[in-house]
Amino acid sequence: MTSCDVTVRGGGIFGLACAWEMARRGAKVRLIEGTRIGAGASGGLVGALSPHMPDQWNAKKQFQLESLLMAESFWSGVAEASGLPTGYGRAGRLQALPDARAVETARAREATAADLWQGRATWQVIRATGAAWEPASPTGLLIHDTLSARLHPRMAAAALAAAVTAKGGEIHIGEAPEQGIVLHATGVAGLTELGAALGKPVGGAVKGQALSLRHPAPDAPQIYASGLHIIPHADGTVAIGSTSENSYDDPATTDTQLDALHARALAALPCLTEAQVLERWAGLRPRARSRAPMLGPWPGRPGHFIANGGFKIGFGMAPKVATTMADLLLDSRDHIPEGFRVEDSL
């Protein structure tokens, strides 16, 4: 094994994205993953890259906006380096408006989105056309935003791993020696380890269940309806997710909660009624106590850093997380937003 500048622990979206960005900048990177690439939540099905509502602005929403705006160039670079598809596509999103109050709120957000999104994406109230790929809307109106995008989680993870090695990085499945600066991006297990080391919980696991259907609609927008994400992927599948479960018996099994999720999706988008179910998935997602990504130095452990807590927005946040951590580890430039540090979850 050659010497390296940075060791990244964890082959999920944060670890892979950070490893790629540092390798792209010329660092010698070693990534160590205990099980397999995308073994945790990053091996799921959904891949919704969706913005927060364009109001009540804060550092978390700004960080996410910047990440979503840089996503196309980030993922095209990964695809070019790896020679593999990532499933990225910025096809926008449709949301149903159930009542007059929701319509009023959505119209107010048209103006705030125009300002906050810097004119680089739009949020508009539009009239439903009755097309098959539209959510049922009692008001006959929909929100259409052009910032939302989608990514195929497993394709993206495989492409990132290949891109890292294409830039000369090492990927080890199992154990390997740490060298240089160490970045811990180990998801749920990492939050547990960090909490034990600091003597207090810093976050935990939230179970999610999702499913995949066979229904080709690769250029269609994603649908958000009744708390569901319905994501048409480039490979001819549609992902539906997900539950959020703080209490569960088995983190890896699906149950009747997923059946209910499926039924709600069919009610929102009847064109999926005859679509074959290809896969049912369950897994644990890491959520920091701050509910924001957890970035920065490991308190009291020089040379060790954390990138964790992606929860439901990890894929959307990954490009900005990667550049932020590369700036910190390689150039000692610290521009971690307010609320994102490890200490914010203590």
Side-chain angles (χ1 to χ4, degrees), residues 196-289:
L198 298 179
K200 57 181 66 178
V202 297
V206 178
K207 181 179 178 178
Q209 299 184 48
L211 71 157
S212 177
L213 310 180
R214 172 65 66 194
H215 183 91
D219 300 318
Q222 62 179 275
I223 304 293
Y224 184 74
S226 303
L228 302 177
H229 293 282
I230 303 173
I231 312 296
H233 283 300
D235 64 351
T237 64
V238 172
I240 300 170
S242 59
T243 65
S244 290
E245 304 166 43
N246 293 307
S247 177
Y248 46 84
D249 294 325
D250 188 330
T253 60
T254 61
D255 55 34
T256 57
Q257 293 180 79
L258 188 56
D259 298 331
L261 198 80
H262 188 193
R264 287 164 52 203
L266 299 186
L269 205 61
C271 68
L272 297 176
T273 300
E274 301 300 321
Q276 175 190 4
V277 176
L278 299 176
E279 182 178 354
R280 294 163 62 92
W281 178 89
L284 299 181
R285 297 162 296 182
R287 184 175 67 186
R289 288 187 67 189

Side-chain angles (χ1 to χ4, degrees), residues 255-334:
D255 55 34
T256 57
Q257 293 180 79
L258 188 56
D259 298 331
L261 198 80
H262 188 193
R264 287 164 52 203
L266 299 186
L269 205 61
C271 68
L272 297 176
T273 300
E274 301 300 321
Q276 175 190 4
V277 176
L278 299 176
E279 182 178 354
R280 294 163 62 92
W281 178 89
L284 299 181
R285 297 162 296 182
R287 184 175 67 186
R289 288 187 67 189
S290 66
R291 295 180 178 265
M294 180 189 291
L295 309 177
W298 182 314
R301 195 174 178 185
H304 289 253
F305 295 81
I306 302 293
N308 207 327
F311 191 36
K312 293 182 177 181
I313 55 176
F315 277 93
M317 293 283 207
K320 185 68 174 177
V321 166
T323 57
T324 299
M325 296 308 294
D327 286 346
L328 180 61
L329 270 64
L330 302 184
D331 301 324
S332 298
R333 290 189 289 133
D334 186 340

